[in-house]
Amino acid sequence: MHDHDHHSELSEMQLRVKALETILTEKGYVDPAALDLIVEHYETKVGPHIGARVVAKAWAEPAFKRALLADASKAIAGLGLDTKVGDHLIAVENTPQLHNIIVCTLCSCYPWDVLGLPPTWYKSAPYRSRTVKDPRGVLADFGVTLPATTQIRVWDSTAETRYLVLPVRPAGTERLSQDELAARVTRDSMVGTGLVAA
Amino acid sequence: MNGLHDMGGMDGFGTVVAPAREPPFHDVWEGRVMAISRALAATGLWNIDQGRYGIERLTPEIYLTSSYHRKWHLRTEALLLEAGLISAAELAAGHAQGPAKPLPRVMLRPDKVPATLVRGTYERPAPAPARFKAGATVRARNIHPASHTRLPRYARGRTGVVDRIYGCHVFPDSYVSGKGDDPQWLYAVRFEACELWGADADPTVTVLIDAFEPYLMSA
């Protein structure tokens, strides 16, 4: 095996992954061209821009918001997005009195179809361990302080449901177009670790 | 299993460090790890819970010191070795040394990639009516399965309220064995923070888990 003392994890992993892909290709278990397409999908097609578009539409169109909160997968399927959104997406609505935050304590479940791949912090031990016990402390790590009276709901994604936070629409945005609204919506606001700035 | 992966409520891991910007993959190998794993899963070699259980079975030392994608890679190697599809000698050599074994389904070709990337449904027809209604008070069972489960330790034995019912879904504790879906009702169950963490907990906080019916009893 490779010498751990003389390689960083990165170079060790480059070698190990290359070796595995070579073996699997030689044996006919994977097609490298298919692997290229999977990587391309996650690097270029999915990301928080999809969720931001959904949030902006929900802010602008009350009927869509109702449909989204009733069945997010179904509501989003009607939007004609370039990529498809799979099943069991649940949208939860933030209000001035109630703040929702999403975590997966057991692994790293995350709504890939609307937010893309999760950031490293979402998959990290600090986030996974603390969010269910000390959500205000975790929010402070993100520079977010909520009023002491705000109710906080932590959703631990322990099944094949996936959660998307519908953040509070900031004041003073009544005249913005949906595209302009979407540009304000951050990834963190859709996980519940951020707020959308006014 | 009561493994390190079940992190909810543990102390001592420090603050959350969140850089402003981060690429989907930090290096080329991370993307290849994910793609290899997705492509192999698409051939039916393992399902989502068998994949998770593969990561849960990494040793605690490896689990805590490996990056997310390194864990995925080590899981993939381990499951392929378990299935006899590759050998340790091949991994050491970096090349195939023997004949291939048949896959459960055909190898993933580029034209099938888009369909593979659409998240499937885990909802199934209900074999029986749901036992609990929204608003019912329930207690999470005090169970400690040696194998894969999706009931986090911090909720076991705790009393909560059924917040909503999600329908009947593939049951991870059975699905991991590869012997079928064993559909069970799935509920969002809401716990007050003081029920989970003691009287000093923040009274404004509630925690919801997705809980399968076998995890729950009337309370």
Side-chain angles (χ1 to χ4, degrees):
Chain A
M1 287 304 292
H2 314 299
D3 186 346
H4 288 247
D5 292 328
H6 295 94
H7 294 279
S8 66
E9 179 182 286
L10 200 67
S11 60
E12 178 216 345
M13 290 311 298
Q14 284 171 327
L15 293 168
R16 285 183 77 154
V17 175
K18 182 70 188 160
L20 183 63
E21 183 176 337
T22 301
I23 296 164
L24 297 177
T25 303
E26 289 171 350
K27 291 198 147 189
Y29 298 154
V30 301
D31 177 344
L35 304 184
D36 294 342
L37 290 177
I38 295 172
V39 172
E40 183 192 342
H41 176 81
Y42 290 111
E43 285 195 323
T44 66
K45 301 226 167 83
V46 291
H49 62 281
I50 299 172
R53 185 175 155 192
V54 170
V55 167
K57 188 175 176 68
W59 283 347
E61 300 176 19
F64 178 74
K65 179 175 151 182
R66 282 194 295 276
L68 183 73
L69 294 173
D71 186 337
S73 292
K74 191 174 158 194
I76 296 173
L79 293 185
L81 299 172
D82 296 336
T83 58
K84 289 188 175 161
V85 170
D87 259 1
H88 309 308
L89 184 68
I90 316 287
V92 290
E93 183 186 16
N94 281 356
T95 69
Q97 293 79 36
L98 174 67
H99 185 86
N100 294 281
I101 180 170
I102 311 306
V103 66
C104 173
T105 62
L106 296 175
C107 47
S108 309
C109 298
Y110 187 79
W112 291 14
D113 293 342
V114 284
L115 297 185
L117 294 179
T120 299
W121 59 259
Y122 185 85
K123 303 174 284 195
S124 72
Y127 188 76
R128 288 169 52 196
S129 61
R130 269 174 75 213
T131 303
V132 288
K133 187 178 180 189
D134 180 23
R136 286 183 192 272
V138 168
L139 287 169
D141 291 348
F142 286 86
V144 174
T145 307
L146 299 173
T149 54
T150 302
Q151 298 288 314
I152 297 179
R153 273 191 198 157
V154 182
W155 298 81
D156 190 356
S157 309
T158 53
E160 297 317 326
T161 45
R162 295 291 177 270
Y163 293 92
L164 176 74
V165 173
L166 176 58
V168 174
R169 179 176 181 166
T173 57
E174 294 76 14
R175 300 168 74 92
L176 297 185
S177 69
Q178 286 193 31
D179 285 346
E180 289 168 327
L181 287 171
R184 302 269 189 112
V185 179
T186 61
R187 176 197 63 204
D188 290 4
S189 74
M190 295 182 279
V191 181
T193 56
L195 307 174
V196 181
Chain B
M1 61 179 281
N2 289 343
L4 261 180
H5 68 281
D6 187 356
M7 293 189 145
M10 292 176 76
D11 295 317
F13 286 114
T15 57
V16 181
V17 179
R21 292 202 168 275
E22 205 182 330
F25 302 114
H26 301 84
D27 197 87
V28 171
W29 70 265
E30 293 190 350
R32 302 314 280 184
V33 165
M34 166 162 295
I36 288 168
S37 178
R38 294 294 297 250
L40 291 174
T43 71
L45 276 176
W46 58 78
N47 64 42
I48 191 164
D49 286 294
Q50 291 168 325
R52 287 194 182 110
Y53 191 41
I55 290 178
E56 292 164 12
R57 286 184 291 148
L58 298 174
T59 66
E61 299 81 20
I62 287 175
Y63 189 92
L64 268 187
T65 55
S66 299
S67 69
Y68 174 81
H69 290 99
R70 185 170 195 264
K71 279 184 271 200
W72 273 50
H73 176 81
L74 297 176
R75 174 273 309 275
T76 298
E77 280 189 1
L79 293 185
L80 288 166
L81 288 167
E82 272 183 12
L85 289 164
I86 62 170
S87 69
E90 288 176 323
L91 283 176
H95 284 284
Q97 294 184 334
K101 284 189 175 181
L103 298 168
R105 293 194 291 271
V106 294
M107 179 177 72
L108 180 67
R109 295 288 185 189
D111 61 315
K112 301 290 186 197
V113 166
T116 297
L117 293 177
V118 177
R119 189 171 161 73
T121 182
Y122 290 85
E123 191 162 3
R124 299 288 183 270
R131 186 171 160 204
F132 306 109
K133 292 183 163 53
T137 301
V138 291
R139 179 174 297 130
R141 293 179 187 274
N142 181 23
I143 52 172
H144 297 266
S147 176
H148 177 68
T149 185
R150 297 291 288 179
L151 177 61
R153 254 177 291 181
Y154 70 81
R156 297 176 193 168
R158 304 302 176 185
T159 300
V161 172
V162 172
D163 191 86
R164 44 181 98 177
I165 305 178
Y166 286 136
C168 207
H169 291 232
V170 171
F171 184 44
D173 302 43
S174 300
Y175 200 43
V176 71
S177 71
K179 291 178 185 163
D181 297 346
D182 187 20
Q184 301 289 341
W185 286 93
L186 180 65
Y187 307 87
V189 178
R190 190 176 72 240
F191 300 90
E192 299 296 325
C194 60
E195 170 70 7
L196 300 175
W197 314 114
D200 294 339
D202 185 338
T204 63
V205 172
T206 55
V207 178
L208 294 100
I209 66 168
D210 300 328
F212 292 87
E213 196 166 273
Y215 298 164
L216 303 172
M217 56 197 285
S218 293

